[in-house]
Each structure stands twice: as C-alpha cells, then as structure tokens.
Amino acid sequence: MSRPEAMDRVVNLAKRRGLIFPSSEIYGGFRSTWDYGPLGVLLKRNVKEAWWRSMVQLRDDVVGLDAAILMAPKVWEASGHIATFTDPLVDCRSCQERFRADQLPASGACPKCGAKDSFTEARQFNLMFKTFVGPVEDDASVAYLRPETAQGIFVNFPAVQTTSRRKPPFGIAQIGKAFRNEITPGNFTFRTREFEQMELEFFVPPDEGNKWFEYWCAERLSWYTDLGIPENHLQLRRHAAEELSHYSAGTADVEYDYPWGWGELEGIANRTDFDLTQHAKFSGEDLTYFDPATDERYIPHVIEPSAGADRATLAFLLDAYSEEEVRGEQRVVLRLDPRLAPIKVAVLPLSKDERLSPVAHEVSDALRQGFMIDYDETRAIGRRYRRQDEVGTPYCVTIDFDTLDDRAVTVRERDSMNQDRVSLDKLVPYLSERLPR
C-alpha cells in the first residue's frame, strides 16, 4: 500500500468511525474546517494530555496557563503581526483561484487549471482574522483572533513568574486554539484556518539560550518516538540562516514523513529576548528579571517548542494505520500507543443472552472508573473484535457462558491477538499493568 493510498484510507476510516468529520457537512462543508467526532475528540485529547504530562506534570520547572483568545490589539502591534504576519498572494487569471506565491510548482502552471504564466503579481496578505468588540464596528473596536498562543504567555510573564515564584530557567506551557486565514489550506487536518497549538515558552538567562535550544530539540524529537512514531519517519531540520525569522538565533523543525512528503510537526526556536523587549517597549512595563543570587537584572531569552495538536494527531493516525491478512480475511488495525488510544478497553458479552448481561455490566462498571471503555453486544464476536481493532482499542474483554461458573473473562490484546483468561477480581490490576499512563 502506497503512502497516498494510506492517506485516503485513513481519511475514509476517520469519517466512517467517528474520528473526524467535515465541518458543516449538511451544508456542503466549509473551507477546510473539520470536526472531531466521538472517537476523534478522545484521540486528540489523549495527544494533548500526553504533551501536558510530559511538559508540565513530570517537570518541576514548567507551569501552565490558559490565556484569552481575544487580546488587546496593541499586543499584535508589539509582536509584529499587524505589520509583517503576511504571505505572498497571487491570483490565476484563468480560473480565479488564489495561491501562495512561494508554494507554486516550478513549472509555473496553475495547480488547479494548468494554465501557464497566468498569475498576477504577488501582493502581501495578512493572515490574521479581524473582528470587532462591542456593538459598533469602527477602528476603535477592532480586535483579532489570535494567530498563536505564544503572545498570551509573554504578556503574562511577570504575573506568572511572581505568583509561581519561579526563576529562570523555567517555562510556561499552554494548549489552545489559534486562527490563521490561510490562503491555501489542505491535506486534511494538516493545514487549516482553525487549529490547536501546544506551546511552551521557556525563559532562560541570556548566556544559556543555545544550551537550552539544543536540549529542547532533542527532548521534543524523543516525545514522538516514545509515543510510537519510528525514527525513520521523523527528522530534525535546522533552518538555514536565510530562513530564520529576524528575531531567531536558531530554529529547527521536527518533521514527519507525510504521504505528500516531509512536513512540519513542531518548530523549536531560540527567540532571544525579542518578545519581552517588544512588549516592554509598547506597554511601558518592566519585564526584566532580577536574580538576587547574582545581583543581576536581565531580560530573559526564550526557547519556544511549538507543536500542532491537529498535525500530531494526524501523524499518529497515519503511522498507526495498518492492514494485514488474518485467516484469509483482511484486518485493519490502528496500532496506536495505548496512551493515545481513544478507547482503552472494550467490554464484549458473547451474546445478548440475558444471563450474560448482569455480569457484563458489572465488568463495565468496574472498568469505567479507571479506563475509557466501550460496551458492545451487537453482531458476532469476531466482527466486534475487528471493529475495535480499526479504532485502536488495546484490549477487549469477553464475557462468555463460562464466566457464569468460573468468574473469569477472556482478555484479548489488539496487536498480537493473544488471549488470557483472567479472574474478575484480578481484571483491573491486570489491565492497569498493561495500560501505561
């Protein structure tokens, strides 16, 4: 199966099994917007929780934040977004479609209609969504949907540093929605106008910037491999000098080998002291840090690992998808790391027989306290196993007629399909040992 074929099958599976739907589908959809269904919202939530656990819970040098989406317009003036957050836009004179000038094919042909040399001169297009706050739509009430979560962290730096009593090096982490009016969204959930970011701003003494930049490059790459993406599907691409943003002393992208080629999963940037310096200048507030140990005052430098929750979720889906033949039948399996799997355990009574139902619900009630479960009693047991395999459920627990006598159940593991007979009083610890947090 080729990589493009895998993409098509993952997209079809996502829609068919309630992972990801086109938004506003009953109205024909809406411009590359997507809704996460019952299983998709669990999967994406598990990706975000794995990030939060790694970046905040298991560390003593990072705290969390949830900043507002709407911020004072001056924030975006200070950050440079109003003046420079643009992409070069061209129109095709033949089909009237619009494209980013820096993403056109080398042939010069229109990606939609094929016309050559049909593009207008490039003009700069600001990617921020503009709105108005209050009942009057005038210049004084203009606001923007945030194009990144980072600025909410920067403007809260003094409040968080003081209240959390942290000293550099320390970080502030945030997960939240961001919005960019992309000219050419596409590739399913890879590039959309509404997306979710998982960002850390790590504040360090000025002379430690390079050390922490290298640390976070290695740390973030290992997060993806730890959750199951093979090393040969990932690369750390360091930006050449001409690619660097004006504020960056170094940037590297964690890239994944998507079906269409290498694409950015996460960017790690050494932003120096640019952001805090700008906000101090535009707000008039003192954003320096005084270190009593060295009797030194300085503006911290910032290392920023910025990941996309939607892109990461898509990468985990693509890498987990597999097909195999089992006893002459095709089996589709999502080999997700159990920490990411939407459903951890499926409870499957062998049949709808009323004698099995009380025990099956007893098992469900016991497992529900510690695991996200699914209860399924319809159709043949083999068909139900396949349904759970294709959404990545690590374990299936089957209640059969022997259960009524021996108070034990059959536990089936997804990848190997091996089965163990486990007594009911040992079922919870058995699964707890095999389902890591």
Side-chain angles (χ1 to χ4, degrees), residues 87-92 95-105 109-113 118-119 122-123 183-184:
D87 277 339
L89 170 70
V90 296
D91 296 280
C92 173
C95 66
Q96 281 73 55
E97 280 293 310
R98 290 176 171 171
F99 304 94
R100 280 179 56 170
D102 58 344
Q103 293 182 347
L104 293 175
C110 173
K112 183 178 181 183
C113 70
S118 63
F119 296 112
R123 61 191 187 280
I183 297 169
T184 52

Side-chain angles (χ1 to χ4, degrees), residues 134-291:
V136 180
E137 296 186 5
D138 57 17
D139 290 345
S141 60
V142 168
Y144 300 91
L145 301 184
R146 65 183 180 194
E148 63 181 23
T149 64
Q151 300 305 320
I153 296 176
F154 295 133
V155 300
N156 278 293
F157 167 74
V160 173
Q161 187 272 316
T162 301
T163 56
S164 65
R165 295 180 292 112
R166 294 298 200 276
K167 58 176 292 186
F170 85 99
I172 303 174
Q174 178 170 212
I175 298 174
K177 287 288 185 78
F179 307 83
R180 295 180 185 178
N181 197 8
E182 295 281 359
I183 297 169
T184 52
N187 286 328
F188 197 28
T189 57
F190 178 79
R191 187 179 301 281
T192 58
R193 294 185 172 101
E194 175 186 346
F195 54 95
E196 202 155 7
Q197 290 184 308
M198 307 181 294
E199 288 198 310
L200 171 70
E201 306 302 330
F202 200 73
F203 301 90
V204 303
D207 60 353
E208 296 183 15
N210 289 335
K211 177 185 78 172
W212 283 105
F213 173 70
E214 296 299 332
Y215 167 86
W216 281 113
C217 284
E219 191 76 6
R220 294 306 305 146
L221 186 62
S222 69
W223 183 77
Y224 295 97
T225 57
D226 177 61
L227 287 169
I229 296 182
E231 290 184 4
N232 64 328
H233 289 179
L234 295 166
Q235 68 179 13
L236 186 70
R237 188 183 71 83
R238 296 178 183 271
H239 287 207
E242 61 271 16
E243 292 182 87
L244 293 176
S245 301
H246 60 89
Y247 54 76
S248 175
T251 297
D253 291 339
V254 177
E255 295 186 335
Y256 176 73
D257 188 12
Y258 288 97
W260 58 87
W262 291 100
E264 180 186 348
L265 266 180
E266 175 167 349
I268 302 101
N270 181 347
R271 301 178 68 111
T272 66
D273 63 356
F274 171 79
D275 300 282
L276 293 182
T277 297
Q278 285 294 101
H279 287 301
K281 174 183 174 182
F282 278 76
S283 70
E285 296 291 326
D286 182 6
L287 300 183
T288 59
Y289 171 77
F290 177 71
D291 188 346

